[in-house]
Amino acid sequence: MTRKVILYFCAMEKTSNSVRFLRRYFASLLEATYGPDEANALIMILFEHHFNINRITMALNPELSLNDMEHDIIEKSVNELLTNRPVQYVTGKEVFCDMDFFVNENVLIPRPETEELVYHIKHEHEGITSANAVCEVLDIGTGSGCIAVSLAKLLSNSHITAIDISTGALEVARRNAIANHATVDFIQADILSRPQLDRTFDVIVSNPPYVCDCEKKDMRPNVLDFEPSTALFVSDNDPLLFYREIISFAQDTLKPDGSIWFEINERFGADTIQLCKDNGFQNTMVIKDFRGKDRFIRARK
């Protein structure tokens, strides 16, 4: 996109850098990829992220313009979106449980379903521990740290431990803990190798890889091409691999009457419940997400 193109496109505009014009122009470039509604929403996210300009600001300041440096910033971000790069990676931010989380290609973008998981755990476990006891929580496969950091902030009298195999993910998670003033013990470990931890837990939670390879064909390029595949996908031949290993690990590390929480593939709710029961867990239940899909499992040791 050149300055000549912009000048031609806006021949009837007062200035090529007017916010009113640039919003329409850049949205028009994105429409073929995202459709008009999403394109407009994405442009507004960029304006607010980069320049703290929202719709109200635009309405109250119709002559508002960007300088050349600001123009180049918004242009660069739009060009990234045109490659299907998720807007969260473009801005480096996603909101989760009313907190800002830094994200990059080392971690999955936190989803609203996972927010639900956090609030389910908070609702069930807040106040259960006595005033003199600490609720020990383990987050397996922490990624951005969204679950661990949120529980550290939301679950009073708790001690949070979080593990991940990825060095890059742990760097992101530690950054998010610091930014949100949360205390979390981060450990690099592979759950498939049965790590040795120095404590037992009241709560074990995990949002492990659960999308089968065969489901890739139904996924959008912004997920397939940018989000870390090792955090998303599991072999069609063993879709419950991580659940089986985590449940086995929990046999030795979960306290009596402790609970285990999973985010799951809706296709395998019944199978995952049976896996819990086969390993001696009781009071198992499947919980639907806000879309009405089987998305979470809670079981007690």
Side-chain angles (χ1 to χ4, degrees), residues 107-291:
V107 300
L108 294 181
I109 297 165
R111 263 71 170 182
E113 295 90 341
T114 309
E115 278 188 321
E116 287 188 83
L117 176 61
V118 168
Y119 286 120
H120 281 303
I121 294 172
K122 177 186 184 300
H123 176 75
E124 179 156 311
H125 290 276
E126 185 68 274
I128 288 180
T129 54
S130 69
N132 297 321
V134 174
C135 182
E136 293 282 355
V137 180
L138 174 65
D139 175 24
I140 297 176
T142 194
S144 66
C146 61
I147 293 176
V149 170
S150 297
L151 288 174
K153 299 291 287 186
L154 295 172
L155 199 60
S156 61
N157 206 27
S158 62
H159 178 263
I160 313 295
T161 304
I163 68 173
D164 203 289
I165 191 175
S166 166
T167 301
L170 288 172
E171 289 174 356
V172 172
R174 290 189 179 101
R175 174 173 173 173
N176 284 322
I178 293 169
N180 287 290
H181 309 288
T183 300
V184 179
D185 289 340
F186 291 105
I187 300 170
Q188 186 168 15
D190 178 6
I191 189 60
L192 300 184
S193 298
R194 295 296 295 269
Q196 298 296 312
L197 303 180
D198 61 359
R199 60 179 62 93
T200 55
F201 302 94
D202 300 283
V203 178
I204 292 177
V205 55
S206 184
N207 178 18
Y210 63 67
V211 181
C212 293
D213 287 333
C214 65
E215 296 175 279
K216 289 181 180 179
K217 65 183 185 302
D218 300 319
M219 302 183 74
R220 294 177 61 171
N222 60 336
V223 176
L224 285 175
D225 297 343
F226 292 93
E227 298 200 56
S229 60
T230 54
L232 274 171
F233 297 108
V234 67
S235 168
D236 295 336
N237 296 324
D238 195 3
L240 299 183
L241 167 65
F242 287 94
Y243 299 94
R244 185 174 61 253
E245 293 298 325
I246 291 169
I247 289 169
S248 176
F249 174 79
Q251 298 281 17
D252 299 323
T253 56
L254 195 63
K255 296 178 183 179
D257 202 38
S259 63
I260 191 165
W261 294 80
F262 290 123
E263 186 169 327
I264 65 168
N265 187 324
E266 62 176 310
R267 297 169 56 197
F268 301 111
D271 294 326
T272 311
I273 283 285
Q274 190 60 52
L275 188 61
C276 291
K277 291 179 177 179
D278 289 345
N279 283 272
F281 284 83
Q282 301 176 347
N283 298 320
T284 57
M285 63 183 300
V286 176
I287 305 170
K288 295 184 181 298
D289 64 18
F290 65 95
R291 295 187 176 92

Side-chain angles (χ1 to χ4, degrees), residues 27-82:
S28 72
L29 295 181
L30 294 173
E31 282 187 15
T33 303
Y34 296 96
D37 291 341
E38 188 172 359
N40 277 293
L42 289 170
I43 291 301
M44 291 310 305
I45 289 172
L46 295 182
F47 273 114
E48 186 157 8
H49 171 73
H50 289 305
F51 315 119
N52 200 29
I53 296 174
N54 57 29
R55 294 185 187 277
I56 295 175
T57 307
M58 289 184 183
L60 294 177
N61 300 274
E63 302 304 317
L64 192 63
S65 295
L66 302 183
N67 60 40
D68 285 349
M69 182 179 295
E70 291 169 333
H71 173 277
D72 291 343
I73 289 172
I74 200 80
E75 180 181 50
K76 179 178 181 294
S77 292
V78 169
N79 285 334
E80 289 183 75
L81 291 177
L82 287 171

